[in-house]
Amino acid sequence: MMVALLQVSGSSTVRRGTATRKVKKRSASSQTQTTVAPRQRKANRSVKGGSLTVRSPIPSRQSKVGREALKLPSLRGTLSVIISARNEEQTLGRLLQQVSRLEPAEIIVVLNGCSDSSFPISRQHRQAVVVHCPESVGHDVGRAIGAKLSRGDILLFLDGDMVIPASQLGLFTAAVDNGIDVALNDLDPLMPSFGLCDDVTRSKLFLNYALGRYDLGVSSMTAVPHALSRRALEIIGYRELIVPPKAQALSVLEKLRVEKVGTVNVIKHNRLRQANIGAGNAVEKLIIGDHAEALLEVLSRRDDGGLRNSETQREYRRQVAAWRNRI
Amino acid sequence: MKPKRTSARRTGRRVSRIKRRTSRPVRQVAAIPIVNHPNPYVSVIIPAMNEAKTIAGVISGARGVHPRCEVIVVVNGSADQTAEIALSLGAHVISYELPLGHDAGRSVGAEAAKGEVLLFTDGDLVIPATGLRPYVTAISGGADIALNDYSGPVRKLSPHPVVLSKHALNILLGRPDLKGCSMTAVPHAISRRALEILGSESLSRPPLAHAQAVLSGLRVVAAHKVHVGKLNAVRRKEDGTDPLQQLITADHMEAVSLLLEHRGNRAGFSDGTRRREMVR
């Protein structure tokens, strides 16, 4: 039951076993591997129609010249893109196309309880490594699995339900390439006033406030896209990515560079499902629970200057009262 | 259809000089005694610190909440006439030369209270009896904690940290319907049962008492709105910090800590279908 079925795209073998680091160590000798370095891929492109190329069957609408013109600035570090998906056949193919434009070193697609054609679609992509979990592993667990398998210096996390143009994704990867450890999506401009916000948004604000980072607004690792540096992943621990707000708390507490780097409207395109609509829905409760875990982390590390001592506490309150009334 | 207005009405002239009756008959109010009832149903607790200007108004509002009522004024750190004025108005005055500390007056007042309902207000908030009665009514109707239905200004995305903390605590307590209502704000009333469960000492740290009340299964309701924001000015130190804000937000964090101790790491919220063992 608890065994994940791992299928590595491009390879004829189907591996069984838990999602462990084994998959990461793809042997260099394997000739069926299609995950190749960017430079090598360019070479592939030139031998069009040759036996080496394994191409996506979707024909590109852009001319080769156009493609070159739209090339994104290259990164110093290597990029791993981690996509979690759950029955996203409508969008996954197009998302993978956009991701390819970033020229990542690897693309890891974690399929979480997919029963549609998400699996064949991901497998058609020449670069994607597909982790197929036939049974649902739950929210955000896919991210941690993907992170564990990744090797790049920059990790870009995406959801399969939304096609985001490569130019926008580039903001996040570039930020990490330039020294930021956790590059978040800035959702503040898309939010109504606090009085009209939902409980999840309020929880995100409160966590950032409790972390002493009220400037982050509602930005959260719960939201995609976001990018991490390899250093951040090592300090946070890939396992903690299962609970994104806790990972965020750890990032700030460990003094990593956490910044919001750009706005991608993920609210407009977020797929509505049975579980995520209406106030008090299951996903909302899950995320609030995540924030509770994050706050526990904050509380366990706080330095309150001895204020939990009741006598010091009383004296402090006396001083505050006196100060307030000496108008 | 609306009847046509007559010319007499339009120009504002009265046809006859007979006084028109108002639609609502004026209620005859019994003269309010200026002494505390020996066997009170409601105890009104008023912490006061240099509030000579407002204390008379506050007491007269408090007197009107119930025929069987006692007014307790906890005067602390006052250099003015607050205590004398309160005494002359028949209040039970408890005096301390030094300041008791922020919200500590509530505990002292609660300790002395004899009523079945304890109504907390403040020496600088002049509220008429009509604005206080709904809290007493709510407790009489079976509630244990009747809060001020006031959530603070929420028109920006990032509200004042205290407003944010109150909302977040209620969300984590599983009471998002309470929005920003909290025992931090006055006026609010509590039942004698609530006082026994919470203990008078805990009332000095209202966010903790608030969390404790919800966790103990007491009936907490938002009873009535008194817009206290306008009456409460924010004071800052020269360096821009507000020690009171820091104190209240720290109390809220402490309340979250209490909640997590009670309900577990996730505050009682489910982990959904997560299979965490998949990642080791």
Side-chain angles (χ1 to χ4, degrees), chain A residues 88-105:
Chain A
E88 318 287 8
E89 57 182 10
Q90 300 294 324
T91 46
L92 202 51
R94 280 178 292 144
L95 177 65
L96 283 166
Q97 263 188 324
Q98 292 299 323
V99 167
S100 300
R101 288 181 55 206
L102 297 170
E103 306 198 332

Side-chain angles (χ1 to χ4, degrees), chain A residues 1-5 18-20 133 135 137 141 145 148 239 242, chain B residues 275-280:
Chain A
M1 279 293 281
M2 296 304 171
V3 171
L5 176 64
T18 47
T20 57
C133 308
E135 283 169 66
V137 290
V141 178
I145 294 174
K148 185 169 182 176
R239 202 166 181 275
I242 294 175
Chain B
R275 287 159 59 197
R276 298 197 186 198
E277 73 282 357
M278 290 290 289
V279 189
R280 279 189 220 278

Side-chain angles (χ1 to χ4, degrees), chain B residues 1 22 33 59 65 67 75 84 92 97 105 120 131 164 168 182 217 223 226 259:
Chain B
M1 231 174 80
T22 54
I59 293 173
V65 292
V75 183
E84 286 80 355
H92 175 189
E97 203 179 312
F120 294 89
L164 173 66
S182 163
V226 174
L259 162 69

Side-chain angles (χ1 to χ4, degrees), chain A residues 168-204:
Chain A
Q168 290 188 30
L169 297 176
L171 286 175
F172 296 88
T173 54
V176 174
D177 205 40
N178 291 324
I180 285 172
D181 290 308
V182 182
L184 299 172
N185 189 3
D186 179 9
L187 297 177
D188 292 4
L190 312 170
M191 287 294 159
S193 69
F194 186 77
L196 300 171
C197 281
D198 57 5
D199 293 345
V200 167
T201 306
R202 291 173 176 176
S203 306
K204 289 173 179 173

